[in-house]
Amino acid sequence: MESSRTDVSITAPTVAAAFERALRKGHSHLFFPGEADLIKHFYQHNINAIPEETMNGKLGRFLTSASMGMQSDFFKIAVGEYYELFIMLRKYLIRCKAEEMIANGARHVIVYGGGCDVTALLLSLKYPHVKCYELDRGITRQAKLSALDSLAQYFPQYKSVKIETLSPEATVVNGNLFYLNCDFKNDDLEKKLISYEFNPDEITFLIKEGLSMYLDEQENLDTLNTSTKLLNHPNSELIIGYSVDAHEDSIISKFTRSKSSEDYKFYLTPDAVISFAAKANLGVVEKKLPTSLLDKFEKESAIIRFNADHQYECYYVMKNLRFIPQPAKLITDVPEVKLFIPPAKAVIDEAIEEYISELTSNGIEVVYCNGIKPQVQHGQVCKLIAGLMVQEYLVAHKYHSRKPLPLHKDHHRFDFSLRQRAKQEIGSKVGEVYGAQQIKKSFDYNDFKTRSFYITEKEDYKNFIINAIQQKQPVITYYDVHPRLGEKTRQGKPGKFDGNSEHAAVIAGYYFHRQKMMLIIVQWNKFYEISSDDLYESTSQLKKIRLPEKFYKSWPIPGLYTKNKGMWLEKSQVENTVNHLFEVNETFKKDALLFVSDLWRDKEERISQPPFEGSSLANVLTIIQGDSLNIDLSNFQQYEMSFENANNDVQAHSLHII
């Protein structure tokens, strides 16, 4: 029992602290928003519960008060290279697998030995129809319950969380998360779970993370036999990790574990896993080795890669053997878990075909309008470029029979351009466009047909995009964009700037990952990836009435842009960009940057004149149809915008297009 140890375990908080460090070093996008702060809240409670006079109590308090860099260096020596990265990746693997199971009908998620982990809590909040269970005991469990009690005090978003103590053995959160006092080596686990609404005949997902090495061989086999009883549905699964061998451990690691009676007792090589699992009537259906997890991040020497496979756990997905018609006999026959790890940045650096291929190889279906060509944007012409990219796509695929206008006259190579058309038809000063009616007037020429839809229902907004893309019809969207300068992980993503950075981009494709809809968009001469939820929140807060904007011509600024001619910039957008630069890099001084922008500003200024009504593009989605691509949007006709005074018949200078 935990009370018989000479010291209290420090494993749980140190694992959680490693996870927090990895999140703060650029991997937070893989998890729930604010998860780094949440995990710190829980492990700090755990450390505070360890008596301060003990060795582990002193060590825990010292480490968590040290800088992240010092913590990382300590654990590289004490545990091994890539420690925090591996901890983060194994949690990401488990989180993805859990959400995949829930998407496929799982109604129960059971976490063995939860420690300071918050997986059960966050899954229960996101999926209230799923019953989640966390099994733990002693000081570790009491520290977690204490952290739960103070959750609303430090995290206002959790004020509505309802916590109820059913008995000394059980605490329930929101009616679907049960923290059970459990010694899973000795307790009748199935009986205990059933008494708290568990149904073994429903799809269940069991999680055993970082646990097996602390149990001896018989204890491991006993817990596997118990797990088999819980996997009573053909689609139920267990994910479990096993350390490969007794690698040389550091003196520090051995000492701290020995003080809390947590010596490593069991190892299992990949070749031995199948036969060991079979003793408990379990079969291995998927695997994930440490090197395949680390490979996306670390391209190191073969020696380090070998050490990773021997130093950290290999993870296996198992099922009840009676539901596996032809179980694998060799571990080499077991497929790898398909795991897509999206980049932190929105911009897609590799060729779009390679990126889609990577998604597909990881079992993700991508629906995509192939052939859209990104274009360079200079100045206030994002909406004109977005429409032009769609028009050129239609012509390239023979969905339209007449060519579009060029964006610019290109030093009089053409005698008419789309930008010039916008000046004539809607009074555009520098290429700016306001509202759906001006969009229509700008692009309804040469038999192109422009249609806009005002959709304020979130699910219908998403479904419109899905419907259009499935019919190979790109969609133009409008939102506040994070500027190209500033923090790299936010560049090009939707933001909330009260409409002061309104932008247009083309949605070229979509896919679903972890039950989240992701969009492939085209802007700024590149492909980007954004969340449909973020897009909807951004477009919904755009200004309902656009006020006049002041544009000034700025000459080339080294390092920012080098176009020969001056570029038209809008005052509030320049200020927003400066704020982003100042926010992430203190060496840039806000006043100095504003001075530089004034220094390069030309005397020429223009002021736009948005229409008093109909200038907003909040919640608007636009399509430009070709004369040979018939698409069905009948399910969204109630959202279509109509303009009685729009000039739909202009055929603007088509004879001058080469």
Side-chain angles (χ1 to χ4, degrees):
M1 296 293 291
E2 194 162 330
S3 59
S4 67
R5 296 170 179 168
T6 57
D7 201 347
V8 178
S9 171
I10 198 175
T11 300
T14 53
V15 168
F19 178 43
E20 182 218 358
R21 291 194 300 275
L23 292 182
R24 297 195 189 280
K25 290 180 180 180
H27 305 296
S28 61
H29 68 289
L30 300 175
F31 296 86
F32 286 85
E35 189 162 344
D37 292 331
L38 189 65
I39 196 72
K40 185 174 184 178
H41 173 77
F42 278 89
Y43 79 66
Q44 286 285 15
H45 273 264
N46 191 287
I47 286 175
N48 292 338
I50 302 174
E52 190 171 358
E53 67 275 9
T54 65
M55 177 61 70
N56 281 350
K58 293 175 181 177
L59 181 61
R61 287 167 174 80
F62 166 73
L63 287 175
T64 54
S65 64
S67 67
M68 280 207 308
M70 185 179 292
Q71 291 182 47
S72 295
D73 290 341
F74 175 86
F75 282 99
K76 282 180 182 179
I77 298 171
V79 183
E81 194 78 18
Y82 309 138
Y83 173 63
E84 59 197 34
L85 182 60
F86 176 74
I87 294 295
M88 181 276 296
L89 287 170
R90 85 181 189 191
K91 289 187 179 295
Y92 179 68
L93 167 68
I94 291 168
R95 197 73 61 85
C96 287
K97 190 64 185 177
E99 296 202 72
E100 176 190 310
M101 289 290 294
I102 292 171
N104 292 330
R107 289 295 177 266
H108 305 278
V109 175
I110 302 173
V111 179
Y112 287 68
C116 301
D117 188 67
V118 293
T119 296
L121 173 63
L122 293 173
L123 289 177
S124 72
L125 294 175
K126 184 175 180 179
Y127 304 104
H129 65 287
V130 176
K131 293 286 191 297
C132 297
Y133 303 84
E134 187 172 300
L135 315 176
D136 220 326
R137 63 193 176 99
I139 289 178
T140 302
R141 178 174 179 269
Q142 291 303 317
K144 176 159 280 187
L145 295 180
S146 173
L148 274 173
D149 287 337
S150 61
L151 199 60
Q153 179 182 348
Y154 297 99
F155 300 91
Q157 65 268 37
Y158 297 118
K159 282 186 176 179
S160 61
V161 171
K162 183 181 178 182
I163 303 170
E164 182 181 0
T165 301
L166 302 179
S167 71
E169 298 292 303
T171 296
V172 62
V173 177
N174 283 356
N176 74 317
L177 169 58
F178 298 87
Y179 289 97
L180 303 182
N181 185 42
C182 183
D183 180 353
F184 42 80
K185 292 191 293 185
N186 301 308
D187 291 351
D188 186 334
L189 185 54
E190 183 181 18
K191 181 179 178 181
K192 176 166 283 194
L193 287 167
I194 289 175
S195 67
Y196 294 102
E197 305 179 29
F198 173 68
N199 183 351
D201 294 327
E202 294 183 327
I203 302 176
T204 299
F205 184 54
L206 309 182
I207 300 172
K208 294 185 178 180
E209 177 191 2
L211 179 66
S212 64
M213 67 284 291
Y214 301 114
L215 309 176
D216 62 29
E217 182 174 352
Q218 188 58 50
E219 289 170 337
N220 267 286
L221 188 57
D222 290 343
T223 60
L224 279 187
N225 277 307
T226 302
S227 299
T228 305
K229 296 178 183 178
L230 305 179
L231 301 176
N232 204 35
H233 188 283
N235 296 327
S236 292
E237 293 183 348
L238 156 71
I239 188 166
I240 186 169
Y242 289 109
S243 288
V244 174
D245 57 24
H247 60 271
E248 184 63 28
D249 213 351
S250 73
I251 296 174
I252 298 172
S253 182
K254 287 179 180 178
F255 178 75
T256 56
R257 287 204 313 272
S258 65
K259 295 292 286 184
S260 51
S261 301
E262 285 188 313
D263 292 322
Y264 287 172
K265 302 174 183 178
F266 185 69
Y267 304 92
L268 201 61
T269 64
D271 290 337
V273 169
I274 289 178
S275 59
F276 186 77
K279 294 178 182 178
N281 292 312
L282 291 171
V284 181
V285 293
E286 290 180 302
K287 67 177 185 288
K288 200 70 176 176
L289 304 182
T291 48
S292 65
L293 275 176
L294 292 167
D295 189 57
K296 189 175 179 70
F297 296 95
E298 298 293 343
K299 307 291 185 183
E300 295 287 355
S301 70
I303 294 176
I304 291 180
R305 290 169 59 81
F306 174 84
N307 287 341
D309 267 349
H310 284 254
Q311 194 165 30
Y312 302 124
E313 307 127 282
C314 302
Y315 274 80
Y316 307 92
V317 178
M318 301 181 182
K319 298 179 74 166
N320 193 316
L321 265 177
R322 64 191 173 99
F323 301 124
I324 308 176
Q326 294 181 316
K329 296 181 180 180
L330 299 174
I331 197 65
T332 52
D333 296 331
V334 176
E336 285 266 337
V337 177
K338 292 181 177 179
L339 187 68
F340 174 63
I341 304 176
K345 297 186 298 181
V347 65
I348 298 172
D349 289 323
E350 63 258 57
I352 189 63
E353 294 80 11
E354 293 178 9
Y355 191 70
I356 292 175
S357 177
E358 180 185 357
L359 288 165
T360 304
S361 67
N362 281 287
I364 298 172
E365 180 183 1
V366 182
V367 184
Y368 176 66
C369 298
N370 188 37
I372 292 183
K373 294 183 178 180
Q375 293 197 16
V376 176
Q377 178 186 334
H378 290 297
Q380 306 297 306
V381 292
C382 61
K383 298 177 180 82
L384 296 182
I385 281 183
L388 182 58
M389 284 192 291
V390 174
Q391 289 178 328
E392 290 184 344
Y393 162 84
L394 295 171
V395 172
H397 286 272
K398 302 188 185 304
Y399 296 146
H400 194 70
S401 58
R402 306 180 69 182
K403 292 183 178 181
L405 291 165
L407 179 62
H408 299 285
K409 289 189 288 185
D410 194 16
H411 302 288
H412 302 288
R413 181 185 173 202
F414 308 104
D415 58 8
F416 199 73
S417 67
L418 185 57
R419 187 166 175 265
Q420 188 174 356
R421 172 179 168 79
K423 290 181 179 180
Q424 290 185 2
E425 296 297 325
I426 62 173
S428 176
K429 302 300 181 183
V430 297
E432 78 286 358
V433 182
Y434 299 102
Q437 183 168 347
Q438 287 197 358
I439 294 285
K440 185 174 182 64
K441 286 184 175 181
S442 298
F443 293 107
D444 270 12
Y445 66 89
N446 284 1
D447 297 326
F448 288 108
K449 183 180 180 182
T450 308
R451 301 167 65 186
S452 289
F453 298 77
Y454 175 65
I455 308 177
T456 56
E457 295 294 329
K458 185 175 184 178
E459 289 308 308
D460 284 350
Y461 186 90
K462 292 182 181 180
N463 287 333
F464 180 92
I465 295 170
I466 292 171
N467 186 288
I469 299 298
Q470 285 179 343
Q471 299 180 73
K472 302 303 178 185
Q473 174 65 59
V475 179
I476 302 173
T477 183
Y478 313 95
Y479 61 96
D480 266 344
V481 66
H482 280 277
R484 280 176 278 187
L485 299 176
E487 211 276 311
K488 288 185 177 180
T489 61
R490 290 189 292 186
Q491 290 174 10
K493 290 183 178 180
K496 293 182 179 180
F497 308 119
D498 298 321
N500 290 320
S501 292
E502 186 181 279
H503 177 65
V506 177
I507 302 173
Y510 72 88
Y511 66 88
F512 286 89
H513 182 230
R514 296 172 65 189
Q515 302 191 47
K516 185 177 182 180
M517 183 178 175
M518 301 300 295
L519 305 174
I520 296 174
I521 66 169
V522 195
Q523 62 183 356
W524 300 337
N525 201 34
K526 291 185 178 181
F527 290 93
Y528 287 72
E529 179 182 78
I530 63 173
S531 157
S532 64
D533 290 334
D534 292 346
L535 172 63
Y536 180 80
E537 290 181 10
S538 180
T539 191
S540 297
Q541 56 85 61
L542 291 178
K543 291 179 178 178
K544 305 306 179 186
I545 297 177
R546 297 296 305 274
L547 300 175
E549 295 178 290
K550 180 181 288 188
F551 304 100
Y552 59 84
K553 185 172 285 188
S554 177
W555 295 104
I557 300 177
L560 296 181
Y561 61 89
T562 56
K563 193 171 181 239
N564 292 331
K565 296 173 59 178
M567 180 188 294
W568 287 101
L569 302 175
E570 198 275 317
K571 183 175 181 292
S572 64
Q573 291 181 8
V574 171
E575 292 175 351
N576 188 38
T577 299
V578 169
N579 287 336
H580 278 272
L581 282 172
F582 182 66
E583 176 187 355
V584 299
N585 194 330
E586 293 186 2
T587 60
F588 289 106
K589 299 301 181 182
K590 184 176 179 180
D591 291 341
L593 281 175
L594 287 175
F595 171 76
V596 169
S597 68
D598 282 336
L599 183 67
W600 260 282
R601 186 187 303 183
D602 189 71
K603 292 181 179 179
E604 187 177 359
E605 292 184 347
R606 296 179 186 176
I607 299 176
S608 67
Q609 297 177 338
F612 182 74
E613 294 182 354
S615 60
S616 175
L617 286 167
N619 297 98
V620 172
L621 293 169
T622 298
I623 64 167
I624 300 176
Q625 287 183 251
D627 53 22
S628 301
L629 179 62
N630 296 318
I631 64 172
D632 180 11
L633 297 172
S634 57
N635 290 337
F636 306 94
Q637 60 184 0
Q638 70 272 30
Y639 298 118
E640 186 161 6
M641 306 170 74
S642 61
F643 310 102
E644 295 179 1
N645 299 322
N647 180 0
N648 299 328
D649 301 317
V650 178
Q651 299 298 316
H653 301 268
S654 60
L655 294 177
H656 299 293
I657 301 173
I658 296 176

